[in-house]
Amino acid sequence: AKQVAAFLQGIFEGPDPMQLTPDAPRGLAMTAGQLLESGVRRLDGDLADQPAVQASLLSVLGSTDASLGEYPRAVRLLERADGALATLDPPDLPLMARVANALGSAYREAGDLPRAEAAQRSAYRRILGMAGPDDFSTAVVGNDLAIQLWSMGRLDEAEPLMREALRVFRRAPDPDDPALATAISNHAIVLRNLGRFEEAEPLYREALPDKVAFFKLFTLRGLRTKRFLLGSVLGVTLTGI
């Protein structure tokens, strides 16, 4: 962790690029993308023999590129991170799960849904084989794959993965984690869309208090969430709550 932090600090140290004008001397004006490219070059030179640190940094740099909308470059970096992670023994399962999610998201945002599904399905099989069905990392990647399949309209395939992920999520140390309420409500929505209303209703009732309690911190979003969940139960759009 210290190596990762020190490397990232090194990328961004020096003159603040936000304070430099286009005519700054010696070509000092740098965009965020140029800083990231510089970081990748340094990574290849300084950390070539440290795959674990490389994988962590490639994940950070790739995710940052994705947030900037640089999806082709994000995909390249995240694919490299995935490859580096495959060489580690013992494996870093939480990081593998994060990279799989980021890579699938980058493919999806780039409009390549088949590759998004393939990346997440491959990661799910790999982590499932390493850690088994009860590991939290397996559940995270399985849930990400389920959401990908849901976005492609393949609800019959998504629902069992959501159900299995939720089984593991319920054992999380913090039962009030908003992510758990999100997973419950997502599963409920999929069940309702499949016409399985009797299975969906108790999940909606379970998720609603947690959702509303969490979003009380953000009043407008809380009202929208409450309206959305109640409307989903009833199968209508509510505007007066």
Side-chain angles (χ1 to χ4, degrees):
K2 291 181 179 179
Q3 286 180 288
V4 172
F7 186 89
L8 292 174
Q9 181 179 353
I11 293 176
F12 295 102
E13 69 185 0
D16 184 353
M18 299 302 292
Q19 303 299 322
L20 298 174
T21 61
D23 58 349
R26 300 189 305 277
L28 287 178
M30 297 180 71
T31 65
Q34 288 170 330
L35 283 170
L36 293 172
E37 288 176 358
S38 173
V40 173
R41 288 194 297 270
R42 289 185 56 187
L43 182 152
D44 288 336
D46 298 345
L47 301 170
D49 60 345
Q50 300 183 59
V53 180
Q54 268 201 340
S56 295
L57 287 164
L58 286 165
S59 172
V60 171
L61 296 175
S63 296
T64 303
D65 262 330
S67 71
L68 294 171
E70 297 287 346
Y71 299 116
R73 187 168 60 194
V75 164
R76 289 196 298 273
L77 294 176
L78 292 166
E79 285 178 336
R80 286 187 56 190
D82 188 58
L85 285 168
T87 69
L88 300 186
D89 186 16
D92 186 336
L93 295 177
L95 183 56
M96 288 178 68
R98 292 197 299 273
V99 169
N101 181 36
L103 182 56
S105 296
Y107 279 133
R108 183 166 59 250
E109 294 297 333
D112 195 340
L113 297 183
R115 292 186 75 181
E117 179 191 348
Q120 291 180 317
R121 193 177 291 280
S122 174
Y124 177 64
R125 289 172 178 161
R126 189 164 67 243
I127 295 177
L128 177 64
M130 291 178 176
D134 296 328
D135 188 85
F136 194 80
S137 296
T138 303
V140 169
V141 178
N143 191 62
D144 291 337
L145 173 59
I147 291 173
Q148 173 64 36
L149 294 169
W150 178 14
S151 72
M152 298 169 71
R154 291 156 60 183
L155 304 185
D156 286 322
E157 296 176 66
E159 191 278 325
L161 288 166
M162 285 188 170
R163 183 183 298 277
E164 180 62 15
L166 185 55
R167 178 186 67 80
V168 177
F169 289 160
R170 288 187 186 280
R171 303 202 315 266
D174 182 7
D176 296 323
D177 186 342
L180 176 59
T182 299
I184 294 170
S185 60
N186 283 346
H187 190 201
I189 293 166
V190 167
L191 287 170
R192 184 182 71 81
N193 290 344
L194 287 169
R196 293 159 61 176
F197 302 109
E198 291 185 359
E199 295 176 74
E201 181 179 356
L203 291 176
Y204 278 117
R205 293 184 183 279
E206 180 183 1
L208 184 59
D210 290 335
K211 279 283 191 177
V212 174
F214 175 68
F215 285 113
K216 278 181 180 177
L217 296 173
F218 308 94
T219 304
L220 180 59
R221 291 180 67 188
L223 291 173
R224 288 175 176 170
T225 301
K226 182 177 179 182
R227 186 166 61 235
F228 171 72
L229 288 171
L230 287 175
S232 295
V233 172
L234 300 173
V236 298
T237 300
L238 301 178
T239 59
I241 296 177

